[in-house]
Amino acid sequence: RRSRYEEGGGFANATLHLGERFDIDFGGRYSHNSQRASQTAGGALAGNVPVNTNLRSSDNVFTYSVAPKFKVNDRVSVYARVARGYGPNVITPNAPAGTPASFDPDTVTSYEIGFKGETSDRSFGLDISGFIIDWQNIQLLTVVNGFGININGSNARSDGLEFTATFRPTPGWVTSINGAY
């Protein structure tokens, strides 16, 4: 029938230079969203579909990023990053009685540390990083009384390592190898 989704936000990024070799990047975003919906159903094929007239949901969220970087020289740097992300919730239309009309947003906090560098003649380069990702209130699809709805699951953690090695043995010839664990 009728629904409305509104989202507004503001963000800012800044870099703090603490000497010639050390920087810290900061980022922040505040956002607000609100949803309203109402639904009705009728007719021979509608069956026993519930009527939902005042469905509402809203979130106020602050996400951020902090990323220090140390430049060993013009071709080599070491960095780290901590960031938080967010996935909004959605109103579940015509959910069966006793099921939630909406669910909580999920959030992700990621931690990364890495190295980027290449030789002075650029014949070899290496990018390598390790990461941990903490995911909270995972949004899942489930079935209640034959009706698909979104719910929040538990939490999860993912960690790993990624790399890319680049070889340039002669001008015009570039070979890269990458991998992830």
Side-chain angles (χ1 to χ4, degrees), residues 13-27:
N13 294 318
T15 300
L16 180 61
H17 301 284
L18 300 171
E20 292 182 24
R21 296 179 184 241
F22 186 64
D23 298 334
I24 303 176
D25 292 332
F26 297 95

Side-chain angles (χ1 to χ4, degrees), residues 11-80:
F11 67 93
N13 294 318
T15 300
L16 180 61
H17 301 284
L18 300 171
E20 292 182 24
R21 296 179 184 241
F22 186 64
D23 298 334
I24 303 176
D25 292 332
F26 297 95
R29 182 180 200 286
Y30 172 81
S31 61
H32 169 78
N33 70 65
S34 64
Q35 303 175 69
R36 291 182 305 185
S38 65
Q39 294 185 325
T40 59
L45 298 177
N48 191 17
V49 176
V51 176
N52 296 312
T53 58
N54 196 20
L55 299 171
R56 293 184 181 273
S57 172
S58 68
D59 289 311
N60 295 299
V61 178
F62 179 75
T63 56
Y64 60 86
S65 172
V66 178
K69 179 168 65 171
F70 179 72
K71 300 171 198 161
V72 177
N73 59 41
D74 289 343
R75 302 222 182 256
V76 176
S77 64
V78 178
Y79 67 92

Side-chain angles (χ1 to χ4, degrees), residues 53-154:
T53 58
N54 196 20
L55 299 171
R56 293 184 181 273
S57 172
S58 68
D59 289 311
N60 295 299
V61 178
F62 179 75
T63 56
Y64 60 86
S65 172
V66 178
K69 179 168 65 171
F70 179 72
K71 300 171 198 161
V72 177
N73 59 41
D74 289 343
R75 302 222 182 256
V76 176
S77 64
V78 178
Y79 67 92
R81 183 171 189 253
V82 176
R84 186 163 177 93
Y86 152 85
N89 64 5
V90 178
I91 294 174
T92 304
N94 292 334
T99 60
S102 69
F103 52 97
D104 291 330
D106 62 348
T107 57
V108 174
T109 305
S110 64
Y111 309 89
E112 181 180 2
I113 188 165
F115 168 89
K116 291 183 179 189
E118 62 184 4
T119 58
S120 59
D121 64 355
R122 298 190 68 223
S123 63
F124 176 74
L126 179 65
D127 293 354
I128 187 166
S129 66
F131 64 88
I132 297 172
I133 300 171
D134 288 327
W135 191 6
Q136 298 175 343
N137 289 328
I138 298 171
Q139 297 176 359
L140 301 171
L141 178 65
T142 190
V143 177
V144 175
N145 298 328
F147 191 86
I149 64 167
N150 290 316
I151 62 167
N152 289 107
S154 188

